[in-house]
Amino acid sequence: MTRILVVEDEEHLADGLRFNLEAEGFDVDTIADGDAAVEALTGGGRDLDLVILDLMLPGVSGFEVLRRTRASGNYVPVLILTAKDDTEDRVRGLEEGADDYLAKPFRLEELLARARGLLRRRRWDGVADEAPPEPVAIGASTLHFDRFELETPDGVVNLTTREMGLLRALVEREGEVVSRGELLERVWGLRPDTRTRVVDSFVVRLRRYLETDPSRPRHLLSVRGHGYRLLR
Ligand code: CA
């Protein structure tokens, strides 16, 4: 059964989400504060399929929950709930490793659509009759589009949806420079001129998986002032 954790301190909202997600056939747990969320997400119980995370929480903030979750090596898809029109929160959430965001107040149908999207994107997200691209080799690693995995000499890495999106955008334009703005728009749905280091921090993380010596990259190259270029 698909398991979803809702981290939200507003009781009526948490209850409403649980009720509606359960009606969709999901198994739902709720947690109402940041510290308990950190414990749940960095401890043993990692058999979750999706986390819906409010940013404003008692105890540590949602940002901190996210940061510690990712630092512990847990890459469960995370949908953050941000204040309306707060681009700064949205960008910071993505920088800390959120997979998607939704501004409060939101319509329930919208939340369900995002949740289904994130659950589906754990697998190939092409339209029904389109086969996933064949796996591609990047250096000593192999990227599997159909299961969001990067097979490296040190083991299999489960990619988040945005990590996969970034690699896919670069693989499709192999050898060409792809600008930071274009990547922000295509992979994160942000305006090309958004001030953020999110692309750069993702590249740093992907280099740790892909490069023999991440400080001297041979596959994920920075092109100063322009963007990034992938060489297989
Ligand atoms: Ca809250």
Side-chain angles (χ1 to χ4, degrees), residues 40-225:
L41 289 164
T42 62
R46 290 189 180 175
D47 49 346
L48 289 165
D49 298 291
L50 175 67
V51 177
I52 296 172
L53 176 66
D54 184 35
L55 291 179
M56 299 289 288
L57 294 168
V60 299
S61 74
F63 293 118
E64 189 62 17
V65 172
L66 196 50
R67 202 183 61 72
R68 293 196 207 170
T69 299
R70 296 311 190 212
S72 78
N74 185 350
Y75 289 98
V76 60
V78 176
L79 170 67
I80 51 170
L81 303 178
T82 67
K84 189 169 185 289
D85 296 333
D86 196 333
T87 309
E88 217 168 284
D89 274 5
R90 198 176 306 163
V91 169
R92 188 171 161 210
L94 291 169
E95 286 174 342
E96 300 287 7
D99 296 284
D100 205 352
Y101 46 80
L102 193 57
K104 285 180 170 181
F106 49 82
R107 289 183 315 116
L108 182 70
E109 297 74 41
E110 178 70 14
L111 179 119
L112 291 174
R114 299 294 180 96
R116 283 192 211 102
L118 283 174
L119 290 166
R120 196 169 52 233
R121 270 180 282 165
R122 291 297 279 174
R123 294 288 174 268
W124 169 242
D125 63 349
V127 290
D129 55 354
E130 185 192 342
E134 290 296 308
V136 296
I138 305 172
S141 302
T142 306
L143 178 62
H144 295 275
F145 292 98
D146 56 344
R147 39 183 214 261
F148 281 63
E149 283 178 4
L150 188 66
E151 210 181 322
T152 78
D154 302 321
V156 171
V157 176
N158 288 298
L159 299 171
T160 68
T161 54
R162 309 274 172 182
E163 287 173 337
M164 183 53 137
L166 178 56
L167 279 178
R168 198 170 150 195
L170 291 169
V171 164
E172 282 175 7
R173 302 262 302 274
E174 188 193 336
E176 290 174 42
V177 180
V178 186
S179 74
R180 191 177 274 103
E182 199 179 329
L183 293 168
L184 277 178
E185 195 167 29
R186 166 152 180 207
V187 181
W188 282 272
L190 294 169
R191 286 167 47 115
D193 59 352
T194 307
R195 288 171 60 95
T196 169
R197 304 286 298 169
V198 69
V199 182
D200 315 85
S201 57
F202 269 64
V203 165
V204 167
R205 192 158 76 226
L206 288 172
R207 278 183 183 146
R208 277 189 231 133
Y209 308 149
L210 283 170
E211 304 284 353
T212 313
D213 179 358
S215 65
R216 300 173 66 181
R218 296 176 54 193
H219 302 289
L220 255 182
L221 308 180
S222 310
V223 181
R224 193 180 288 275

